[in-house]
Amino acid sequence: RLIVPKARERLIAFGPGVLPRMDARVEESASGLELRAYEVILRGLAEAGHPDEVEAFLAGNLRHESARRQRVALHLVGALKAAAQEADVARLLGSADDGLARRAAGVLGQLGSHAGDEVLTTWLAADQDERRIQTALGVLLGLECDVYAAVRPLLDHPLVGNLARCLELGYPSLLEPVDQHCFRCGEHRADLARAHRSSTPGQSCE
Protein backbone atom coordinates (compact mmCIF):
# COMPACT_ATOMS: atom_id res chain seq x y z
CA ARG A 1 0.00 0.00 0.00
CA LEU A 2 2.95 2.30 0.56
CA ILE A 3 4.99 1.26 -2.46
CA VAL A 4 2.34 1.89 -5.12
CA PRO A 5 1.56 5.53 -4.17
CA LYS A 6 5.29 6.30 -3.91
CA ALA A 7 5.93 4.79 -7.33
CA ARG A 8 3.15 6.92 -8.82
CA GLU A 9 4.56 10.02 -7.16
CA ARG A 10 7.96 9.32 -8.71
CA LEU A 11 6.41 8.97 -12.16
CA ILE A 12 4.57 12.29 -11.72
CA ALA A 13 7.86 13.87 -10.66
CA PHE A 14 9.37 12.89 -14.02
CA GLY A 15 6.95 15.29 -15.66
CA PRO A 16 5.41 14.94 -19.13
CA GLY A 17 8.43 12.94 -20.28
CA VAL A 18 6.71 9.89 -18.79
CA LEU A 19 3.73 10.17 -21.13
CA PRO A 20 5.29 8.43 -24.18
CA ARG A 21 6.08 5.42 -22.00
CA MET A 22 2.54 5.39 -20.66
CA ASP A 23 1.16 5.73 -24.17
CA ALA A 24 3.13 2.71 -25.31
CA ARG A 25 1.42 0.64 -22.61
CA VAL A 26 -2.18 1.64 -23.33
CA GLU A 27 -2.78 -1.31 -25.65
CA GLU A 28 -1.64 -3.69 -22.92
CA SER A 29 -3.37 -2.09 -19.95
CA ALA A 30 -6.23 -4.31 -18.88
CA SER A 31 -6.62 -4.31 -15.10
CA GLY A 32 -8.50 -1.85 -12.94
CA LEU A 33 -5.27 -1.20 -11.03
CA GLU A 34 -3.50 -0.10 -14.21
CA LEU A 35 -6.36 2.19 -15.19
CA ARG A 36 -6.35 3.67 -11.71
CA ALA A 37 -2.61 4.31 -12.05
CA TYR A 38 -3.16 6.16 -15.33
CA GLU A 39 -5.86 8.26 -13.70
CA VAL A 40 -3.69 9.21 -10.71
CA ILE A 41 -0.61 10.00 -12.79
CA LEU A 42 -2.47 12.05 -15.39
CA ARG A 43 -4.27 14.03 -12.71
CA GLY A 44 -0.98 14.58 -10.92
CA LEU A 45 0.71 15.81 -14.10
CA ALA A 46 -2.14 18.21 -14.83
CA GLU A 47 -2.00 19.59 -11.30
CA ALA A 48 1.78 19.92 -11.60
CA GLY A 49 1.40 22.35 -14.49
CA HIS A 50 1.18 20.08 -17.52
CA PRO A 51 -2.51 20.11 -18.47
CA ASP A 52 -1.86 20.59 -22.19
CA GLU A 53 0.29 17.46 -22.37
CA VAL A 54 -2.35 15.47 -20.53
CA GLU A 55 -5.07 16.70 -22.90
CA ALA A 56 -2.89 15.77 -25.88
CA PHE A 57 -2.44 12.27 -24.44
CA LEU A 58 -6.19 11.84 -24.08
CA ALA A 59 -6.98 13.30 -27.51
CA GLY A 60 -4.41 11.11 -29.23
CA ASN A 61 -5.98 7.96 -27.83
CA LEU A 62 -9.57 9.06 -28.46
CA ARG A 63 -8.66 9.68 -32.11
CA HIS A 64 -6.66 6.48 -32.50
CA GLU A 65 -8.03 3.70 -34.72
CA SER A 66 -7.58 1.17 -31.89
CA ALA A 67 -10.84 0.47 -30.07
CA ARG A 68 -8.80 -0.56 -27.01
CA ARG A 69 -7.12 2.85 -26.87
CA GLN A 70 -10.44 4.59 -27.35
CA ARG A 71 -12.00 2.64 -24.47
CA VAL A 72 -9.14 3.44 -22.13
CA ALA A 73 -9.28 7.11 -23.14
CA LEU A 74 -13.05 7.23 -22.56
CA HIS A 75 -12.57 5.81 -19.09
CA LEU A 76 -9.90 8.38 -18.30
CA VAL A 77 -11.84 11.31 -19.75
CA GLY A 78 -14.80 10.42 -17.57
CA ALA A 79 -12.69 9.84 -14.46
CA LEU A 80 -10.74 13.08 -14.92
CA LYS A 81 -13.80 15.08 -16.04
CA ALA A 82 -11.74 16.23 -19.03
CA ALA A 83 -14.45 18.39 -20.60
CA ALA A 84 -12.06 19.71 -23.26
CA GLN A 85 -12.37 16.30 -24.94
CA GLU A 86 -16.14 16.46 -25.41
CA ALA A 87 -15.98 16.90 -29.20
CA ASP A 88 -13.86 13.79 -29.69
CA VAL A 89 -16.04 11.84 -27.27
CA ALA A 90 -19.16 12.92 -29.18
CA ARG A 91 -17.54 11.80 -32.44
CA LEU A 92 -17.39 8.25 -31.04
CA LEU A 93 -21.19 8.18 -30.88
CA GLY A 94 -20.91 7.29 -34.57
CA SER A 95 -18.61 4.33 -33.96
CA ALA A 96 -19.45 1.06 -35.72
CA ASP A 97 -18.81 -0.60 -32.34
CA ASP A 98 -22.15 -0.08 -30.62
CA GLY A 99 -20.73 -0.81 -27.17
CA LEU A 100 -18.08 1.86 -27.69
CA ALA A 101 -20.70 4.33 -28.90
CA ARG A 102 -22.84 3.71 -25.82
CA ARG A 103 -19.83 4.10 -23.57
CA ALA A 104 -19.07 7.45 -25.24
CA ALA A 105 -22.65 8.52 -24.51
CA GLY A 106 -22.17 7.65 -20.86
CA VAL A 107 -18.99 9.71 -20.69
CA LEU A 108 -20.80 12.73 -22.13
CA GLY A 109 -23.24 12.31 -19.28
CA GLN A 110 -20.37 12.20 -16.78
CA LEU A 111 -18.99 15.41 -18.26
CA GLY A 112 -22.37 17.13 -18.18
CA SER A 113 -21.81 17.80 -21.88
CA HIS A 114 -24.47 18.55 -24.47
CA ALA A 115 -22.10 17.92 -27.39
CA GLY A 116 -23.92 14.73 -28.34
CA ASP A 117 -27.52 15.77 -27.71
CA GLU A 118 -28.52 15.86 -31.37
CA VAL A 119 -27.17 12.37 -32.09
CA LEU A 120 -28.50 10.89 -28.86
CA THR A 121 -31.98 12.22 -29.62
CA THR A 122 -31.97 10.13 -32.81
CA TRP A 123 -31.31 7.07 -30.64
CA LEU A 124 -34.77 7.54 -29.13
CA ALA A 125 -36.46 6.29 -32.29
CA ALA A 126 -38.68 3.30 -31.54
CA ASP A 127 -36.88 1.13 -34.08
CA GLN A 128 -33.50 1.53 -32.32
CA ASP A 129 -31.92 -1.20 -30.22
CA GLU A 130 -33.36 -1.04 -26.68
CA ARG A 131 -29.88 -0.63 -25.21
CA ARG A 132 -29.38 2.50 -27.29
CA ILE A 133 -32.77 3.85 -26.26
CA GLN A 134 -32.05 3.29 -22.56
CA THR A 135 -28.56 4.78 -22.85
CA ALA A 136 -29.88 7.87 -24.61
CA LEU A 137 -32.68 8.25 -22.05
CA GLY A 138 -30.22 8.01 -19.18
CA VAL A 139 -27.90 10.64 -20.63
CA LEU A 140 -30.43 13.10 -22.06
CA LEU A 141 -32.75 13.03 -19.07
CA GLY A 142 -29.80 13.20 -16.70
CA LEU A 143 -28.72 16.36 -18.53
CA GLU A 144 -32.31 17.65 -18.26
CA CYS A 145 -32.68 18.04 -22.00
CA ASP A 146 -36.10 18.92 -23.34
CA VAL A 147 -36.71 15.71 -25.31
CA TYR A 148 -40.34 14.96 -24.50
CA ALA A 149 -41.32 15.21 -28.17
CA ALA A 150 -38.87 12.40 -28.95
CA VAL A 151 -39.79 10.34 -25.88
CA ARG A 152 -43.57 10.63 -26.31
CA PRO A 153 -43.76 7.94 -29.05
CA LEU A 154 -41.97 5.51 -26.72
CA LEU A 155 -45.03 5.48 -24.48
CA ASP A 156 -46.43 2.93 -26.93
CA HIS A 157 -43.15 1.02 -27.21
CA PRO A 158 -43.67 -2.71 -26.53
CA LEU A 159 -40.58 -2.77 -24.33
CA VAL A 160 -42.13 -0.90 -21.41
CA GLY A 161 -38.86 -1.05 -19.47
CA ASN A 162 -38.05 2.21 -21.26
CA LEU A 163 -41.06 3.86 -19.64
CA ALA A 164 -39.95 2.63 -16.23
CA ARG A 165 -36.57 4.18 -16.95
CA CYS A 166 -38.22 7.56 -17.54
CA LEU A 167 -40.02 7.44 -14.21
CA GLU A 168 -37.06 5.98 -12.34
CA LEU A 169 -34.87 8.91 -13.38
CA GLY A 170 -37.56 11.29 -12.14
CA TYR A 171 -37.10 13.85 -14.87
CA PRO A 172 -39.49 16.63 -13.78
CA SER A 173 -40.70 17.75 -17.22
CA LEU A 174 -41.43 14.16 -18.24
CA LEU A 175 -43.04 12.74 -15.12
CA GLU A 176 -46.38 14.51 -15.39
CA PRO A 177 -47.15 13.86 -19.07
CA VAL A 178 -45.89 10.26 -18.84
CA ASP A 179 -48.00 9.60 -15.77
CA GLN A 180 -51.06 11.25 -17.30
CA HIS A 181 -50.76 9.11 -20.40
CA CYS A 182 -50.44 5.92 -18.35
CA PHE A 183 -53.44 6.94 -16.28
CA ARG A 184 -55.52 7.31 -19.44
CA CYS A 185 -54.22 3.99 -20.78
CA GLY A 186 -54.91 1.61 -17.93
CA GLU A 187 -53.45 -1.35 -19.79
CA HIS A 188 -50.07 0.44 -19.79
CA ARG A 189 -50.11 1.36 -16.12
CA ALA A 190 -50.00 -2.23 -14.83
CA ASP A 191 -47.20 -3.16 -17.24
CA LEU A 192 -45.31 -0.02 -16.32
CA ALA A 193 -45.61 -0.72 -12.62
CA ARG A 194 -44.26 -4.24 -13.09
CA ALA A 195 -41.42 -3.01 -15.29
CA HIS A 196 -40.52 -0.30 -12.81
CA ARG A 197 -40.34 -2.80 -9.94
CA SER A 198 -38.15 -5.17 -11.93
CA SER A 199 -35.96 -2.56 -13.67
CA THR A 200 -32.25 -2.50 -12.90
CA PRO A 201 -30.80 1.00 -12.31
CA GLY A 202 -27.46 1.98 -13.78
CA GLN A 203 -27.39 -0.41 -16.72
CA SER A 204 -23.84 -0.91 -17.99
CA CYS A 205 -22.89 0.63 -21.33
CA GLU A 206 -20.49 -2.17 -22.14
Side-chain angles (χ1 to χ4, degrees), residues 35-183:
L35 292 176
R36 174 61 179 163
Y38 273 76
E39 180 185 335
V40 171
I41 293 168
L42 291 174
R43 180 178 286 111
L45 288 171
E47 292 173 351
H50 310 291
D52 292 344
E53 290 87 343
V54 170
E55 296 288 357
F57 175 91
L58 295 172
N61 282 287
L62 284 172
R63 297 169 188 171
H64 201 279
E65 62 182 16
S66 164
R68 173 61 193 168
R69 285 181 174 272
Q70 292 171 340
R71 287 180 185 276
V72 170
L74 285 173
H75 170 83
L76 294 171
V77 168
L80 298 171
K81 298 294 188 290
Q85 303 301 321
E86 64 176 1
D88 280 322
V89 174
R91 180 181 58 81
L92 292 178
L93 294 176
S95 173
D97 181 335
D98 194 59
L100 186 67
R102 285 184 282 112
R103 177 168 294 198
V107 171
L108 290 173
Q110 287 181 274
L111 297 177
S113 170
H114 292 277
D117 288 2
E118 185 175 351
V119 173
L120 290 174
T121 300
T122 68
W123 290 13
L124 296 176
D127 60 352
Q128 287 281 347
D129 180 88
E130 186 183 33
R131 292 171 298 177
R132 279 201 166 205
I133 294 174
Q134 290 188 337
T135 297
L137 281 173
V139 175
L140 292 169
L141 303 188
L143 293 172
E144 298 193 357
C145 298
D146 183 8
V147 290
Y148 180 66
V151 173
R152 176 62 182 79
L154 294 178
L155 294 173
D156 298 314
H157 197 290
L159 300 170
V160 295
N162 293 317
L163 308 185
R165 184 71 170 161
C166 290
L167 294 179
E168 179 188 352
L169 288 166
Y171 186 47
S173 69
L174 280 173
L175 268 175
E176 185 174 351
V178 168
D179 194 55
Q180 286 178 355
H181 174 84
C182 292
F183 182 77

